[in-house]
């Protein structure tokens, strides 16, 4: 700003210099012009008077030849015109002369007037009165000398000096103006250079500070503040940067808090999701749960070959009378919890419990060929647990009937509230019949199941048994592992059993009830 | 022989004419001299013939710094003019005019001779005008003017040149 003001001041100074010198120069030009004009006029006056003087002198010399001709009207008119011109020019000189300098001009005016009178008299008396004519000439001579040799040269000299002085002053002023202009130009240039340098340095330095600050802020140092204290645009920019940094810091803090909350919330949601998934998986098979989650519904599916297992506790009804409700539920919970573990161990899928009845299925939703064998092994474990538990606590002396059937079913999820994965079909009913037609702590299987497990387990043929729905069907009690597969081995699982399992089902066994070896040997002995 | 005789006759005539002039002069004496008169304040008393020539030829324009030379000459056909033209200028009238006209046009002079038609006027002017100089018949010189000697001789002297 200071530089700009300085430049404006210098520019104004230049204008003032020009205005002042312009007036002065104009004045000097006017003086010079007047002086030159007066010089020209004086030269004209001199020339005219000189010519007239010569004319008069010549006339005076040749007057004796023919005075009348010499003094003819034409000659007089010519002289009068000359004298009139001289008077005119002298009047003009007077106009152009400053009052203070008119003294000499007035002298010239007076003298030239007298001279003109003398010459006029000469011509007037030429040829008439020679004495008067000659006397006028004698009078005119000194006047002519005075005019031509003194007054006019003096005036010419004065005018020349005046013109020279005016010209000199004009040139001096021109020089002064030029010097002033050069000085102003140099000063302006120096100010511009200095100002540019200062401004450039300031801008460079300040921009560098801004840049460094921006880089630091950009690298995450939001606590960094740009130190520019000027009150111009750069200072405001720095302040804006600092405010931005402050806001970013706050926003970062808020973001971190929000992120933390989000993480907490996400963890909660994930936990809840996991819980929900666990609950869902608890309710539904994994594939079904996934299908329900992804599609919102489950398409009923037909499974042509599954093994359904039903259990039912013998003596439960009696226990309902003897035990408190919470005790009864607690016992049932313990049983069913163990059943859940067993079922999961053998890759079966628990479907539901109906009172004291437990229903599970093998071979679905993931189709496995070993479902029948797995279901029988699971059944053995269930029976074993029930019998062992019965022995241990003596609280609830329950037995369990287990019925197993293998056949086709349709599986799916129905309803939108408290939905459950279930199976439908005749096979379900048949399996239920197997259970109801079974015996406590015995595993009753259908012919279809028997066909699937006969190479693994020994069985007792029960013949045709009448079911609830008045049908007579072949039923079998599973007794234990086929002796041929045991072959005296105590290995769990027995090698041959495992080998057969692997050969039949092209997979490894997931579990084997180790008590089954002893039980199977006992059953064989019996 | 004839040429000698003609030459003798011419010389004789000239001698006679000269003697006749001298006789006339001897008879008129002072009256035929042409006096050179100046204003009484003119600071000269004697002029050589050469100086007179200078003055009347306009080669000397000032007696001193203050007093300019004012030439007064008689108009043509005056005897004084004839004497001056003959003895001083050695020109005839036309040549004299031509001389002065040329001088004027060449700006070699700021003052030309003033023509007067009588000695009386010449006297008056010389008496009245400082620096004036004129040729006047010596018999008609009036008081109020100063007669200048020429080569130390005043009018009437035997060998006065202007006669």
């Amino acid at each position: 700003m200071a530089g700009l003001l300085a430049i404006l001041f210098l520019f104004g100074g230049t204008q003032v210099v020009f205005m002042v010198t312009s007036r002065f120069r104009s004045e000097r030009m006017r003086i010079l012009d007047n002086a030159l004009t007066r010089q020209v006029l004086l030269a004209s006056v001199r020339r005219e008077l000189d010519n007239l003087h010569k004319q008069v002198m010549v006339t005076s010399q040749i007057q004796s030849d023919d005075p009348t001709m010499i003094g003819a009207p034409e000659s007089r008119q010519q002289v009068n015109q000359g004298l009139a011109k001289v008077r005119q020019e002298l009047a003009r000189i007077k106009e152009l002369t400053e009052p203070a300098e008119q003294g000499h001009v007035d002298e010239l005016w007076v003298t030239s007037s007298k001279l003109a009178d003398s010459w006029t008299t000469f011509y007037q008396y030429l040829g008439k009165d020679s004495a008067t004519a000659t006397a006028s000439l004698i009078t005119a001579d000194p006047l002519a000398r005075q005019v031509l040799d003194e007054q006019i040269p003096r005036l010419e000299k004065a005018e020349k000096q005046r013109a020279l002085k005016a010209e000199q002053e004009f040139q001096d002023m021109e020089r002064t103006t030029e010097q002033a202009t050069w000085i102003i130009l140099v000063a302006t240039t120096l100010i511009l250079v200095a100002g540019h340098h200062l401004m450039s340095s300031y801008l460079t330095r300040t921009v560098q500070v801004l840049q460094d600050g921006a880089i630091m802020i950009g690298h995450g140092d939001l606590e960094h503040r740009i130190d520019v204290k000027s009150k111009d645009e750069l200072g405001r920019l720095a302040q804006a940067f600092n405010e931005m940094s402050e806001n970013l810091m706050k926003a970062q803090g808020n973001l971190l808090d929000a992120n933390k909350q989000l993480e907490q919330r996400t963890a909660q949601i994930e936990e809840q999701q996991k819980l929900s998934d666990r609950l869902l998986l608890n309710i539904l098979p994994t594939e079904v749960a996934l299908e329900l989650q992804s599609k919102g519904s489950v398409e009923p599916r037909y499974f042509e070959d599954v093994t359904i297992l039903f259990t039912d506790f013998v003596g439960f009804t009696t226990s309902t009378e003897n035990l408190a409700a919470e005790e009864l539920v607690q016992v049932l919970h313990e049983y069913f919890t163990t059943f859940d573990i067993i079922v999961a161990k053998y890759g079966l899928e628990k479907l539901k419990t109906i009172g004291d009845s437990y229903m599970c299925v093998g071979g679905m939703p993931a189709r496995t060929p070993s479902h029948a064998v797995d279901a029988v092994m699971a059944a053995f474990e269930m029976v074993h647990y029930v019998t062992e538990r019965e022995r241990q606590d003596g609280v609830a002396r329950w037995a369990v009937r287990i019925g197993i059937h293998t056949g086709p079913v349709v599986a799916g999820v129905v309803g939108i509230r408290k939905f459950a994965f279930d199976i439908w079909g005749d096979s379900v009913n048949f399996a239920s019949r197997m259970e109801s037609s079974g015996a406590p702590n015995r595993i009753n299987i259908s012919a279809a199941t028997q066909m699937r497990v006969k190479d693994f387990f020994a069985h007792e043929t029960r013949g045709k048994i009448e079911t609830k729905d008045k049908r007579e069907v072949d039923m079998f009690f599973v007794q234990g592992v086929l002796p041929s597969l045991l072959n005296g081995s105590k290995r769990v699982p027995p090698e041959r059993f495992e080998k057969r399992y692997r050969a039949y089902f092209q997979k490894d066994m997931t579990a084997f009830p180790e008590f089954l070896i002893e039980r199977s040997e006992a059953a064989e002995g019996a | 022989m004839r040429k000698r005789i003609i030459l003798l006759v011419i010389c004789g005539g000239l001698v006679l004419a000269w003697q006749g002039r001298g006789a006339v002069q001897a008879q008129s004496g002072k009256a035929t001299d042409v006096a050179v008169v100046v204003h009484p304040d003119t600071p000269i008393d004697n002029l050589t013939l050469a100086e007179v020539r200078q003055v009347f030829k306009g080669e000397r324009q000032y007696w001193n710094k203050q007093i300019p030379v004012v030439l007064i000459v008689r108009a043509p056909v005056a005897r004084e003019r004839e004497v001056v033209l003959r003895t001083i200028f050695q020109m005839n009238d036309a040549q004299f005019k031509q001389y002065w006209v040329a001088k004027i046009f060449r700006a070699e002079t700021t003052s030309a001779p003033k023509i007067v038609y009588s000695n009386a006027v010449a006297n008056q002017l010389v008496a009245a005008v400082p620096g004036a100089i004129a040729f006047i018949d010596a018999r008609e010189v009036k008081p109020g003017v100063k007669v200048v000697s020429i080569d130390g001789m005043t009018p009437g002297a035997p060998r006065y040149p202007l006669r």
Side-chain angles (χ1 to χ4, degrees):
Chain A
M1 182 58 75
L4 183 62
L5 286 173
I7 290 169
L8 286 174
F9 174 75
L10 287 171
F11 178 73
T14 306
Q15 293 299 310
V16 168
V17 166
F18 269 116
M19 282 166 58
V20 169
T21 58
S22 175
R23 277 192 178 181
F24 186 86
R25 279 184 277 125
S26 296
E27 181 61 22
R28 290 297 163 274
M29 279 302 293
R30 186 189 68 78
I31 294 172
L32 182 63
D33 182 57
N34 283 349
L36 292 173
T37 304
R38 286 198 296 270
Q39 278 184 322
V40 169
L41 289 170
L42 274 174
S44 177
V45 165
R46 168 195 277 279
R47 191 168 48 251
E48 195 63 38
L49 287 176
D50 194 50
N51 290 338
L52 287 172
H53 188 212
K54 285 177 182 168
Q55 185 177 344
V56 166
M57 283 198 292
V58 169
T59 303
S60 70
Q61 297 308 300
I62 61 176
Q63 61 179 312
S64 59
D65 294 344
D66 189 353
T68 57
M69 286 304 292
I70 294 167
E74 295 81 13
S75 298
R76 279 191 211 164
Q77 190 180 8
Q78 190 180 7
V79 170
N80 288 338
Q81 283 174 352
L83 290 174
K85 183 183 173 188
V86 167
R87 266 199 298 279
Q88 243 179 0
E89 289 174 343
L90 284 176
R92 180 76 184 121
I93 290 172
K94 279 183 78 172
E95 283 175 18
L96 294 175
T97 307
E98 300 295 325
E101 298 165 348
Q102 286 211 358
H104 291 147
V105 176
D106 289 338
E107 284 179 8
L108 177 61
W109 176 271
V110 169
T111 310
S112 62
S113 297
K114 291 179 184 173
L115 180 62
D117 292 340
S118 298
W119 286 341
T120 305
T121 304
F122 169 73
Y123 274 94
Q124 189 178 353
Y125 288 96
L126 184 64
K128 299 170 186 169
D129 182 350
S130 63
T132 305
T134 302
S136 68
L137 282 182
I138 293 174
T139 304
D141 273 355
L143 293 173
R145 263 199 296 275
Q146 199 175 351
V147 166
L148 292 172
D149 296 342
E150 292 174 16
Q151 292 176 344
I152 289 181
R154 185 166 53 223
L155 278 173
E156 285 176 336
K157 185 180 175 183
E159 292 305 326
K160 188 177 178 182
Q161 284 176 348
R162 215 169 280 128
L164 281 173
K165 185 183 172 191
E167 186 183 351
Q168 187 63 41
E169 286 176 349
F170 181 86
Q171 287 175 352
D172 289 345
M173 187 51 62
E174 282 284 302
R175 217 169 6 254
T176 303
T177 305
E178 188 181 347
Q179 287 170 357
T181 304
W182 274 111
I183 289 169
I184 290 171
L185 179 65
V186 169
T188 305
T189 304
L190 287 173
I191 289 172
L192 276 174
V193 169
H196 175 264
H197 177 72
L198 286 172
M199 184 61 67
S200 178
S201 300
Y202 168 72
L203 283 175
T204 304
R205 191 173 56 247
T206 307
V207 169
Q208 188 63 45
V209 169
L210 282 170
Q211 183 183 348
D212 294 341
I215 289 172
M216 291 188 70
I217 291 169
H219 284 162
D221 185 5
L222 298 179
E223 291 182 355
H224 177 75
R225 295 291 177 266
I226 298 172
D227 186 21
V228 175
K229 292 186 175 57
S230 62
K231 294 186 181 174
D232 56 11
E233 289 79 2
L234 291 173
R236 287 198 288 275
L237 181 61
Q239 196 179 353
F241 263 103
N242 292 336
E243 285 173 5
M244 181 188 74
S245 180
E246 184 75 26
N247 293 335
L248 279 174
M249 206 162 72
K250 285 181 188 171
Q252 189 185 43
N254 293 339
L255 195 63
L256 287 172
D257 291 341
N259 200 32
K260 202 172 175 182
Q261 288 176 5
L262 186 65
E263 283 175 355
Q264 289 173 354
R265 187 77 185 133
T266 303
Q268 287 174 0
I269 290 171
E270 282 177 356
E271 193 59 41
Q272 285 173 2
Q273 181 68 33
K274 284 179 187 169
L275 185 64
S276 172
D277 289 343
R278 278 202 300 273
L279 288 172
L280 198 64
L281 287 172
N282 222 7
I283 298 169
L284 303 172
T286 304
E287 294 83 357
V288 175
L290 290 174
E291 185 179 345
L292 186 63
Q293 281 177 338
S294 64
K295 295 180 182 177
S297 63
V298 179
E299 287 293 323
R301 288 165 62 184
Y302 177 77
F303 292 90
E304 67 283 351
D305 182 36
V306 300
T307 299
I308 305 125
L309 187 152
F310 272 97
T311 73
D312 189 65
F313 287 107
V314 178
F316 174 77
T317 308
T318 307
S319 296
T320 59
E321 296 169 357
N322 298 328
L323 290 176
E326 56 272 20
E327 284 176 332
L328 190 68
V329 170
Q330 179 62 34
V331 171
L332 207 58
H333 171 70
E334 289 169 7
Y335 275 117
F336 283 158
T337 299
T338 305
F339 283 4
D340 288 342
I341 294 169
I342 294 167
V343 162
K345 190 161 85 172
Y346 288 97
L348 303 180
E349 194 71 36
K350 175 187 177 181
L351 290 176
K352 58 187 171 184
T353 59
I354 310 110
D356 63 332
S357 181
Y358 188 96
M359 179 184 175
C360 64
V361 63
M364 58 164 278
R367 286 179 171 83
T368 56
S370 62
H371 53 82
V373 174
D374 297 332
V376 169
M377 288 196 285
F380 271 119
E381 284 221 28
M382 289 177 183
V383 169
H384 178 72
Y385 172 75
V386 169
T387 52
E388 288 299 314
R389 179 184 167 82
E390 187 181 0
R391 287 197 190 96
Q392 284 171 10
D393 57 21
V395 173
R397 297 178 183 275
W398 296 351
V400 61
R401 286 193 300 275
I402 298 179
I404 301 174
H405 172 63
T406 302
V409 296
V410 173
V413 176
V414 294
I416 57 173
R417 290 177 59 83
K418 296 186 180 177
F419 48 75
F421 183 68
D422 206 352
I423 54 177
W424 296 268
D426 204 38
S427 298
V428 178
N429 298 329
F430 206 79
S432 176
R433 296 293 174 271
M434 291 298 108
E435 175 270 314
S436 61
S437 302
N441 295 332
R442 298 301 298 273
I443 302 168
N444 188 33
I445 64 176
S446 66
T449 305
Q450 187 269 334
M451 285 299 293
R452 301 291 293 274
V453 303
K454 64 181 176 52
D455 292 337
F456 290 89
F457 298 102
H459 60 273
E460 174 190 335
T461 304
R462 296 180 64 192
K464 292 191 184 299
I465 306 295
E466 189 177 305
T467 62
K468 278 187 183 176
D469 56 356
K470 308 302 181 189
R471 285 194 293 173
E472 289 188 345
V473 295
D474 288 323
M475 299 183 188
F476 306 85
F477 280 135
V478 182
Q479 291 177 321
V481 177
L482 272 179
S484 60
L485 295 179
L486 284 173
N487 199 21
S489 170
K490 299 294 182 187
R491 181 177 175 271
V492 178
E495 190 176 341
R496 287 185 180 179
F497 187 97
E498 187 181 21
K499 195 173 175 180
R500 180 168 286 183
Y501 188 96
R502 198 180 290 121
Y504 271 41
F505 306 124
Q506 298 297 311
K507 68 172 187 175
D508 292 331
M509 291 173 67
T510 57
F512 184 86
E514 57 181 274
F515 61 87
L516 194 59
I517 298 174
E518 189 178 326
R519 178 190 171 107
S520 299
E521 287 175 345
E524 182 187 8
Chain B
M1 190 61 179
R2 182 183 288 179
K3 287 183 182 174
R4 284 185 186 174
I5 294 170
I6 293 170
L7 186 61
L8 280 173
V9 169
I10 292 171
C11 287
L14 286 173
V15 168
L16 285 173
W18 182 257
Q19 286 177 349
R21 183 190 68 81
V24 169
Q25 285 180 346
Q27 285 180 356
S28 60
K30 185 176 165 187
T32 60
D33 288 347
V34 173
V36 175
V37 294
V38 295
H39 188 273
D41 293 338
T42 306
I44 56 109
D45 295 311
N46 179 74
L47 289 169
T48 66
L49 203 61
E51 287 172 342
V52 174
R53 184 176 297 115
Q54 278 183 345
V55 170
F56 277 90
K57 286 181 80 173
E59 292 169 5
R60 180 176 178 175
Q61 297 186 30
Y62 281 86
W63 297 118
N64 59 20
K65 286 183 182 176
Q66 284 82 32
I67 304 175
V69 174
V70 181
L71 294 174
I72 311 289
V73 297
R74 289 291 304 276
V77 307
R79 179 181 165 275
E80 292 83 352
R81 184 183 175 93
E82 185 272 330
V83 169
V84 168
L85 288 177
R86 175 169 46 81
T87 59
I88 296 177
F89 293 101
Q90 294 167 353
M91 298 176 190
N92 59 26
D93 195 61
Q95 287 171 337
F96 182 74
K97 286 180 191 173
Q98 191 178 359
Y99 171 80
W100 273 104
V101 169
K103 206 168 177 66
I104 288 165
F105 278 113
R106 287 198 298 269
E108 290 175 0
T109 182
T110 56
S111 177
K114 306 301 180 285
I115 310 295
V116 293
Y117 288 86
S118 69
N119 286 326
V121 172
N123 258 311
Q124 288 173 3
L125 290 175
V126 171
V129 178
I133 182 169
F135 289 97
I136 299 177
D137 191 318
R139 294 176 297 180
E140 298 184 34
V141 174
K142 295 287 189 289
V145 299
K146 180 164 69 175
V147 177
V148 177
S149 60
I150 307 298
D151 290 335
M153 293 178 281
T154 56
R159 289 161 56 194
Y160 186 75
L162 299 176
R163 51 167 71 104

